[in-house]
Amino acid sequence: MSARHVVVVGGAGAIGAVVATVLAEQGMQVTVADRADASEVVRGLPGRGHVSIPFDVTSIDDALAWFGPEPRAGRYDALVFAAGVNYTGPVATTDWTQWKRVLDVNLRGAAHVGQAVSRNLAADPRECSIVYFSSTAGRRGEGGASVYAASKFGLIGFMECHASEIARYGARANAVCPGNIDSPMLRALAQQVGERTGQGTEATLAEFAGSTAFDRLIAIREVAQVVAFLAGPASTGMSGQSVVIDGPPR
Ligand SMILES: NC(=O)c1ccc[n+]([C@@H]2O[C@H](COP(=O)([O-])OP(=O)(O)OC[C@H]3O[C@@H](n4cnc5c(N)ncnc54)[C@H](O)[C@@H]3O)[C@@H](O)[C@H]2O)c1
């Protein structure tokens, strides 16, 4: 039997690269798709047959070419959408260029890939799992996060609709909602928030870590293991769900 083929969109990023690694460790064949060069990530993956492809999620033409009815990426059994960008700032001073950038990647980009997957499944119906990266910011808003939260709330709504539409093919879609992950993206956010509040980066990071009863940040690998479960064949009874990866309330 051939290995399960999983595409990781955004797989050159901090979380996507670890997702690709955990999938490869579990014997899956991984295609890493990113607008950034992902060849180094692919070289570091255990096993054989992994490839990287250049892909910008803001192009619907590229999404359809790589993942649509005649996918240049080849037949795939799962697709993880882990691309994403962040922006922080109060509503009163929203930078509309940043608004467009965040929504274009996090929400419209996901919809481009989702449309390609839908057309692919119509041409080739099969068991297939889509995992979209939302965030705890896609479940609960907080001051300063309006643009990012709008994209991640929107993505959950999109995922729920997509899951209903592709169920007829035997395919499914779910979202993961990671909390505060020990990552460069969170560190950059802590720096921006720390500058705005005057509290500094390290104190802001400590505050993020203390926001749940775990009293720590979540490791990227802890996120990747949940994603691997959802992308794999053990989760065929789950679709339309948003899975939070975070500690309990304090
Ligand atoms: N880091 C966190 O604390 C955290 C928490 C919750 C959710 N998330 C979400 O997890 C996902 C991964 O985050 P990360 O920490 O790995 O971020 P990251 O910045 O390290 O990686 C994001 C990846 O997306 C790629 N990307 C951005 N725009 C793209 C485009 N137009 N086309 C193709 N690829 C594009 C980047 O090149 C990068 O490789 C994101 O969706 C993020 O919003 C992150």
Side-chain angles (χ1 to χ4, degrees):
M1 209 172 77
S2 58
R4 191 169 175 85
H5 177 203
V6 186
V7 177
V8 183
V9 175
I15 296 177
V18 179
V19 168
T21 302
V22 169
L23 294 171
E25 285 171 358
Q26 295 185 5
M28 301 188 213
Q29 184 214 324
V30 183
T31 293
V32 178
D34 203 297
R35 71 176 173 188
D37 179 15
S39 49
E40 204 168 313
V41 172
V42 167
R43 266 197 298 279
L45 297 178
R48 289 157 180 268
H50 313 298
V51 295
S52 65
I53 58 179
F55 173 54
D56 189 322
V57 304
T58 61
S59 165
I60 182 59
D61 291 342
D62 284 0
L64 290 171
W66 283 114
F67 312 117
E70 293 172 23
R72 278 179 68 193
R75 195 175 203 246
Y76 50 89
D77 304 294
L79 185 147
V80 178
F81 186 90
V85 291
N86 197 3
Y87 166 76
T88 176
V91 172
T93 56
T94 295
D95 175 335
W96 296 105
T97 306
Q98 293 296 331
W99 167 277
K100 184 170 182 331
R101 182 181 71 96
V102 171
L103 271 288
D104 277 354
V105 174
N106 296 6
L107 186 53
R108 186 166 170 161
H112 286 165
V113 172
Q115 181 174 81
V117 171
S118 276
R119 293 189 188 182
N120 174 278
L121 290 167
D124 180 16
R126 64 195 185 281
E127 188 276 311
C128 184
S129 172
I130 317 302
V131 184
Y132 292 106
F133 262 82
S134 181
S135 167
T136 46
R139 313 250 308 188
R140 193 185 57 245
E142 62 180 35
S146 65
V147 181
Y148 186 72
S151 73
K152 296 298 189 180
F153 267 78
L155 183 51
I156 289 177
F158 176 81
M159 175 279 296
E160 290 182 1
C161 301
H162 197 209
S164 294
E165 292 183 16
I166 62 178
R168 77 191 68 161
Y169 305 119
R172 56 212 167 81
N174 292 286
V176 287
C177 304
N180 289 310
I181 310 305
D182 194 357
S183 63
M185 184 187 272
L186 189 76
R187 181 158 277 277
L189 176 68
Q191 189 180 350
Q192 288 160 19
V193 172
E195 275 168 20
R196 206 163 60 229
T197 59
Q199 153 176 277
T201 305
E202 293 309 318
T204 307
L205 270 177
E207 200 173 280
F208 289 166
S211 65
T212 76
F214 274 178
D215 205 16
R216 66 171 175 87
L217 301 177
I218 307 292
I220 291 179
R221 205 174 170 84
E222 293 176 302
V223 176
Q225 279 158 347
V226 177
V227 174
F229 167 70
L230 290 172
S235 56
T236 47
M238 290 175 70
S239 192
Q241 309 303 316
S242 317
V243 180
V244 174
I245 308 168
D246 203 5
R250 292 191 78 85

